[in-house]
Amino acid sequence: MKQKKIKEKRKRELIKRMIFSFVIIGMAFLLSIIVLTQTSAQQTNVCCEKTIYGAWCQNALTQSCDSGFRITPTSCDATSYCRQGCCYDSKEGICMENTPQLVCQASNGTWADSAKCEIPQCNLGCCVFSDQAAFVTLVRCKKLSSFFGVQINFRTDVQSETACIALAHAQDKGACVYEQDFTKTCKFTTKGECEAMKKKTGNYTGNSSFHKDYLCTAEELGTNCARRNSKGEVKTGCVDGRDEVYFKDTCGNPANIYDAAKIDEPAYWRKIIEKKDSCGAGNTNSNANSVSCGNCDYFGGSFCRKYDASKDARRPTYGDFICRDLNCKNTKDGKDYRHGESWCIYDDGTGKGKDPAGSRYWKHICVAGEELVEPCADLRAEICLQDKITTDKGDFQQAGCIANRWQNCVTFKTKEDCENVDKGDCQWIEGAIGTSILAGVQASTSSSSGSFPEPEKTTSSGILGGDEEDENEPKTLKGAVCVPNYPPGLKFWQAGEAQSQCSLGNAACTIEYEKKGLFGGSEDCVENCECGGDTWQKKNEEICRALGDCTGSEGVYKYLSSGFGVSGTKLFLPLLKGGDWLLGLSTASAEIQNKSINQGLLESLKVM
């Protein structure tokens, strides 16, 4: 009995141990699942718009993604911003397949929704330029054509590189020898055209043969094309699309570049000689007006033309064609300019208010030896600016007419704003006292009495502030104004615009004196003593000229008595050069202090 109880007790203990073991194992299993899940989550790839290494649109671990960009828990192929397509660069002529949109945009390319680049811009074809060809895409053909400076010739009907290369070979030049009327003759042409001659009918009586790089005058070809005609003359001429003067054989075919020293040299009439190996190659004046060499260069300033005694300095030694000088000599400003250069011409002084009334800016251009003139807009609405470009042949002058931005000059309150070329064409003048731009003092033409309003003591008011200084206003030098650098032309013969603009140049300045003693005696100036002197006069004339067609080289002053001889005022008024009127001046009777005014003007103004 006792033994039975012991067995049951052991059995219960065994069950407890088994249950405990299962619990431990279960907990360990659950813990391992949790750890594995977390580890798996950490190692799961996501789509990084940009990685911390700078790569775009990569499937990578989360910790490899740049947190400043988008992160999506899916493949990059399934996102909109990393969808792959075709990226083509028109500038470089390259098409790239399977390129993410973001990568394409980052490289300044154009993206299309076609992973295999099955778009017209990227279709392959034969790009023919001059005597060469390449089996490339359309965008690459544009790049190559631009590089070689030729028109685009993209052949979509050529579907293989082999056919494209064959097409290039068809552009090879040389001597095409054939029989005509049972005479062996020759034509300098391309291989393609020579082969096409076999299909022609008429007086063509034999098979043609093409000889690459040979001239029709090569002795081994045995043709009837000779160097000189029956009179012993040698012909020269121009060739379409080329700059140079070429020898011509008796069959009318072009030979090599005209070189008087090699006229009877058989080797020079045998095969094609390149321009760089011909006479005068690299000459600084491009063989202009050379009597013995026809190696012209259009960009250097010479071009093949038929000799003209009125245009060419000398007659060529052989033939009737010469490298004509395209440059301009002894132009209006006394200088020489190269073909294509442009420069500015002024009627008189320019800038800093020096442009006189009625003056204008002109752009001159040298084209094929002729000096052409293009006027800038009238009333100095445009000015002419010029600059130069440094080239391997020296400085190249360029000019152009641009808008004269004078309209906002008088509104600028600081020197920094005034001289900012991005804001206008203005200049900063210091030392201006009493001008209307500063003080708002303007002569009245509508006064019923016909006299000037009594001026008050002038301070830094008007545009630059009132009598009391504003702490928020920019700090400026006392008596400084911003005026146009290039004075605008004004229709001073019409009422309105000229009066409004020129009246800004009116200047009034109160000079205060202090008497010594009660019964007369001398007077001492105590305020604004600089007014009325030559310096003040010249400064206001400078301002007035800068405002437009307002004044000539001399100004007009009027003295107004302000009572008891204690103080006086001098009022500066703009005078048109050669004009017959004075802004703001009416029939007031006063003393004229400037004696240079012409008699007729004073009589018309009724101020004598």
Side-chain angles (χ1 to χ4, degrees), residues 505-508 536-537 540-544 551 554-558 570-575 583:
N506 292 349
W536 184 74
Q537 175 183 348
N540 283 285
E541 286 177 354
E542 181 183 355
I543 294 171
C544 202
T551 184
E554 296 180 345
V556 178
Y557 286 85
K558 181 183 176 185
K570 288 186 177 180
L571 180 63
F572 174 80
L573 294 168
L575 169 67
L583 290 175

Side-chain angles (χ1 to χ4, degrees), residues 490-549:
L490 303 175
K491 297 180 180 179
F492 51 82
W493 58 90
Q494 296 179 0
E497 178 187 34
Q499 286 89 337
S500 174
Q501 177 69 9
C502 291
S503 62
L504 293 173
N506 292 349
C509 183
T510 301
I511 308 174
E512 294 189 6
Y513 302 91
E514 181 179 339
K515 280 188 177 183
K516 290 185 176 180
L518 297 175
F519 304 100
S522 61
E523 295 179 346
D524 290 339
C525 179
V526 296
E527 190 168 349
N528 291 333
C529 302
E530 62 271 34
C531 295
D534 291 341
T535 302
W536 184 74
Q537 175 183 348
K538 291 179 180 179
K539 184 61 64 175
N540 283 285
E541 286 177 354
E542 181 183 355
I543 294 171
C544 202
R545 281 194 297 268
L547 290 172
D549 294 336

